[in-house]
Amino acid sequence: MVSVKCRYCDRPAVTIVRYAKLNLCTEHFSEFIESRVEETIKRYRMIKKGDRVVLAVSGGKDSVGLMYIMNSLSKRIGFSYTVLHIDLGIDEYSRRSRKVVEKHCRELGIDCIVIDLGIDLGFTLPQFVSKLRTKRVCSLCGIVKRYIMNAVALETKADSIATAHHADDILVYLFKNFILQDYTFLKKLVPVSIGVEETVATKIRPMYEIYERDIALYTILKGLEFVDLECPFKNVKGFEESIKKFIDEIENRAPGTKISMLRKYAKTFSLDRQEKSIDLGRCSICGLISQKDVCTFCKLTEKAFGQAKGSLVKEITRSRCTTYCVKPHLN
Ligand code: SF4
Ligand code: ZN
Ligand code: ZN
């Protein structure tokens, strides 16, 4: 607890936002974070009035916090959003995550599309992992989640799909891919990835300039329930931890460096990436974006289960979505 007053009122400050040189009480801190997300959305022209957004929510502190921020901004900016939760079928971790997300959706009165891998697609993530005998569980999980997010956003005719990646997540990926000299991936870490009609949805990252500690504090101070269980597959690599420490040290010495790095990066890569995505082709099975004849999701599901499951994701979404579905999809 910091024994100084809030910059804007007489209440005691609960935190110091060093990059903004602000001591803030609970209420003004929440307002500050919400307005920072609003500025980020406006700065990068992520959402405009009347847009319909799909927000991917896992149930962790970042996505639960963002859900509430989006709720207040949807009224201010004038957009609507629906939540997408992917139930990966990872035992207790998935059960609790889904329960938390559904509870928040009920409380906020937001539509929630749940894609349950086990029931809807016939396999859970652990079953997929064991069929493929892979040790790279998180990369496989990433392929599944990205595929479903894209398919749901396209099928529901949403203007964009939003994820809860924050500044620290993005900077770690940036440094990691720079060290590995993986420029294909490096170029994707922009605040907005413009989609291509019918094959790839526009992706937005409203917390591009929000620090991990700040969104965690926002969620905790608001008293929001989130899943504090670690995914049993989580394997924090020493390499990524070292990058994180290095970035934090720079930020400690010069508060605000994380934001300025991200702004410069976004400025350099945004246009370049936009031109790139237009070149990509379509999967011959499911019709979504793919660099090869068959997309990775269809290829891997076919390898593991003898059937490509891409088209199934689209069918499930069509049968489940309500708010954003245009009439022909419901027939
Ligand atoms: Fe998926 Fe890995 Fe995250 Fe678990 S830790 S939810 S496997 S990406
Ligand atoms: Zn205050
Ligand atoms: Zn496919």
Side-chain angles (χ1 to χ4, degrees):
M1 177 76 77
V2 182
S3 60
V4 287
K5 275 189 182 172
C6 170
R7 164 73 73 91
Y8 303 116
C9 71
D10 284 339
R11 285 184 288 252
V14 291
T15 187
I16 302 169
V17 183
R18 288 187 63 212
Y19 64 84
K21 296 192 178 82
L22 286 174
N23 305 318
L24 297 171
C25 68
T26 302
E27 191 183 304
H28 283 112
F29 176 70
S30 297
E31 273 178 24
F32 173 77
I33 294 300
E34 286 168 14
S35 62
R36 294 269 313 140
V37 175
E38 186 175 4
E39 277 165 29
T40 308
I41 288 174
K42 287 181 177 163
R43 172 184 294 274
Y44 299 108
R45 293 197 285 268
M46 291 180 183
I47 304 173
K48 56 185 188 315
K49 195 172 175 192
D51 270 4
R52 299 169 311 170
V53 180
V54 170
L55 172 65
V57 180
S58 67
K61 60 180 172 9
D62 307 335
S63 60
V64 166
L66 182 58
M67 206 174 153
Y68 279 75
I69 295 172
M70 293 287 269
N71 194 52
S72 97
L73 296 186
S74 64
K75 291 161 201 140
R76 274 196 338 234
I77 298 174
F79 64 88
S80 61
Y81 76 103
T82 200
V83 160
L84 165 66
H85 176 71
I86 302 168
D87 184 332
L88 299 163
I90 309 176
D91 306 322
E92 186 59 10
Y93 168 75
S94 289
R95 278 194 290 277
R96 285 194 29 200
S97 304
R98 179 173 176 167
K99 228 170 133 188
V100 162
V101 176
E102 287 179 334
K103 178 185 158 247
H104 285 304
C105 287
R106 270 196 308 277
E107 281 174 11
L108 290 172
I110 298 166
D111 284 327
C112 182
I113 300 171
V114 176
I115 301 289
D116 183 321
L117 286 196
I119 292 172
D120 294 328
L121 302 186
F123 65 89
T124 61
L125 186 76
Q127 287 165 347
F128 202 8
V129 168
S130 101
K131 281 277 182 191
L132 291 176
R133 295 200 185 129
T134 179
K135 289 201 171 76
R136 303 182 63 203
V137 183
C138 291
S139 359
L140 185 62
C141 183
I143 290 168
V144 171
K145 288 191 288 196
R146 281 193 297 276
Y147 185 88
I148 294 176
M149 287 192 286
N150 188 43
V152 170
L154 290 170
E155 278 304 311
T156 55
K157 308 276 181 199
D159 293 286
S160 58
I161 171 102
T163 57
H165 293 106
H166 47 62
D168 295 76
D169 281 336
I170 295 156
L171 280 167
V172 168
Y173 293 140
L174 273 181
F175 275 72
K176 184 180 161 186
N177 286 291
F178 177 72
I179 293 165
L180 298 172
Q181 290 291 290
D182 183 345
Y183 280 87
T184 314
F185 199 74
L186 192 72
K187 285 178 176 181
K188 291 183 179 169
L189 298 164
V190 283
V192 180
S193 305
I194 306 285
V196 179
E197 213 177 331
E198 291 182 359
T199 60
V200 59
T202 293
K203 294 181 198 73
I204 57 171
R205 299 180 168 110
M207 297 207 294
Y208 198 78
E209 297 190 359
I210 302 294
Y211 292 180
E212 183 177 14
R213 85 174 269 285
D214 289 344
I215 186 62
L217 190 59
Y218 175 91
T219 306
I220 291 165
L221 291 176
K222 285 248 170 208
L224 304 174
E225 189 185 346
F226 59 92
V227 181
D228 49 4
L229 267 184
E230 284 265 285
C231 169
F233 292 115
K234 186 159 184 164
N235 177 16
V236 180
K237 292 184 190 131
F239 180 41
E240 284 166 15
E241 276 298 291
S242 309
I243 295 172
K244 205 166 183 302
K245 273 189 201 151
F246 169 70
I247 300 168
D248 281 341
E249 202 175 317
I250 300 174
E251 176 71 22
N252 272 341
R253 285 166 195 247
T257 306
K258 287 181 185 178
I259 296 171
S260 68
M261 278 195 283
L262 284 169
R263 281 189 189 164
K264 281 177 193 150
Y265 166 80
K267 205 171 166 194
T268 312
F269 282 98
S270 284
L271 254 184
D272 190 88
R273 179 228 15 92
Q274 229 166 309
E275 286 155 10
K276 260 286 204 231
S277 63
I278 291 163
D279 302 330
L280 293 171
R282 299 170 80 145
C283 168
S284 59
I285 298 175
C286 69
L288 299 190
I289 195 160
S290 179
Q291 279 172 313
K292 298 193 176 146
D293 179 43
V294 174
C295 74
T296 315
F297 183 80
C298 286
K299 191 180 89 188
L300 292 179
T301 46
E302 186 158 36
K303 186 177 172 195
F305 309 107
Q307 183 202 351
K309 307 257 184 180
S311 305
L312 194 53
V313 176
K314 290 166 82 179
E315 279 168 34
I316 298 289
T317 311
R318 258 176 245 166
S319 67
R320 194 148 306 162
C321 62
T322 50
T323 317
Y324 294 168
C325 280
V326 289
K327 282 276 182 297
H329 278 294
L330 294 172
N331 292 334

